[in-house]
Amino acid sequence: MKADAAMNDDQFEDAQGTPENLPIVQDPLEVWRYLQRVPFDLDVLDQNHIVTAKRKHAANRSFDMLRTRLLQTMKEQDWKRVAITSPTNNCGKTFVTANLAVSLSRLEEVFTMVVDLNLRNPGLADAFGIKPLESMQSYLEGRIDPQDFYLAHGRNLGLGLGSAPAENASELFQSTMTMDVLDEMEDLFCPNIVLFDLPPALDHDDLLAFLPKVDAVLLVVGGGVSTTDEIERVEALIAGIKPLAGIVMNKSEGVVSN
């Protein structure tokens, strides 16, 4: 005789009321509300060339275009994590990351995390005019809970900022714990997009070590700084590992994306 799979009302209530039978469900919005809020000083952002804050500079439109094109590409490809890098120093990589993050934050339904993983020379905290209390190294080593590490601006921009440089960046990036804490971050906050500000690609093996943990790479090249040879070397470095989401030419009068 076939067993009856239906439960009576008492059985259903007992099953629903037993803690060990209940799934652990975390509302991402509640987790976001838990984060410490940090205000932006618009004058400080303006001094640091974060043009998407006051939106008065013509380059603001370029970042909005970059934002929209990047989101469209990521949706088409089902991507979430983007590594932002440059061939060498002084290409404006952090400038692009910060401006793109602020531009994304104006889309109320898009939840963005921006994480400073330029561990040898972190710069996002200074760009935003914020003094973080914890070190990125401690967080990546699993010694700080994400709710206690990340800050938030507004309702939908999460900030992962470090208070001190770390020399063992490549080793940290290749550790299992780093993958675990970043996966935990995604599970908790459910962001639509995560921007990782990475070190310059040709300086160390940091970018190469971190590539397996992202979906795509956004390359920032400096007008008058980056050479054709350097750009080709970066393209060869990431070829076959991760796709190139685009190339951003950072120029003194604005940005041009390809």
Side-chain angles (χ1 to χ4, degrees):
M1 184 173 66
K2 188 175 181 179
D4 187 357
M7 292 191 294
N8 61 39
D9 290 343
D10 290 338
Q11 289 173 316
F12 182 79
E13 289 177 2
D14 289 343
Q16 293 293 303
T18 305
E20 53 266 31
N21 291 337
L22 291 175
I24 299 175
V25 179
Q26 188 87 47
D27 182 357
L29 292 179
E30 288 299 321
V31 181
W32 278 84
R33 294 189 189 103
Y34 179 88
L35 296 180
Q36 179 182 339
R37 256 54 188 177
V38 290
F40 283 159
D41 185 324
L42 295 184
D43 290 331
V44 170
L45 264 60
D46 196 48
Q47 292 170 10
N48 292 336
H49 309 293
I50 312 303
V51 298
T52 49
K54 288 189 174 182
R55 307 177 69 180
K56 294 181 179 180
H57 195 283
N60 173 71
R61 295 191 295 272
S62 298
F63 282 109
D64 285 352
M65 291 286 289
L66 175 62
R67 168 196 69 186
T68 301
R69 291 177 64 177
L70 181 61
L71 285 175
Q72 289 172 346
T73 299
M74 296 185 69
K75 183 177 181 180
E76 291 169 359
Q77 301 295 330
D78 194 26
W79 293 339
K80 182 173 290 185
R81 299 181 179 184
V82 180
I84 302 179
T85 188
S86 58
T88 59
N89 283 310
N90 302 317
C91 294
K93 169 183 56 66
T94 298
F95 160 78
V96 170
T97 303
N99 274 285
L100 183 56
V102 174
S103 180
L104 283 162
S105 73
R106 296 203 302 272
L107 300 177
E108 292 188 1
E109 296 182 358
V110 176
F111 285 78
T112 302
M113 303 295 292
V114 56
V115 185
D116 191 347
L117 291 185
N118 189 0
L119 298 187
R120 300 173 195 269
N121 187 26
L124 273 177
D126 288 341
F128 288 128
I130 296 172
K131 292 184 178 180
L133 300 177
E134 306 288 353
S135 75
M136 181 65 71
Q137 179 172 346
S138 294
Y139 168 64
L140 295 180
E141 291 174 343
R143 292 188 275 131
I144 305 173
D145 289 335
Q147 301 97 316
D148 298 324
F149 176 73
Y150 287 96
L151 305 172
H153 174 72
R155 67 181 296 272
N156 63 340
L157 178 59
L159 305 169
L161 309 173
S163 60
E167 294 301 323
N168 60 333
S170 178
E171 291 77 15
L172 280 172
F173 289 161
Q174 296 180 68
S175 72
T176 301
M177 181 59 72
T178 292
M179 175 65 84
D180 290 344
V181 298
L182 295 179
D183 288 344
E184 179 186 39
M185 175 268 288
E186 276 198 31
D187 291 342
L188 278 174
F189 300 113
C190 297
N192 300 101
I193 181 171
V194 185
L195 305 178
F196 293 106
D197 186 10
L198 269 295
L202 302 179
D203 282 4
H204 300 278
D205 65 331
D206 300 357
L207 174 70
L208 194 60
F210 195 73
L211 279 181
K213 299 174 176 62
V214 301
D215 298 314
V217 178
L218 188 66
L219 179 61
V220 179
V221 299
V225 177
S226 303
T227 66
T228 301
D229 176 68
E230 289 170 341
I231 297 170
E232 291 176 348
R233 287 170 59 195
V234 176
E235 291 176 330
L237 182 69
I238 68 174
I241 303 177
K242 293 296 175 178
L244 191 63
I247 298 177
V248 177
M249 174 68 75
N250 178 35
K251 306 173 69 176
S252 59
E253 66 272 17
V255 296
V256 178
S257 61
N258 296 311

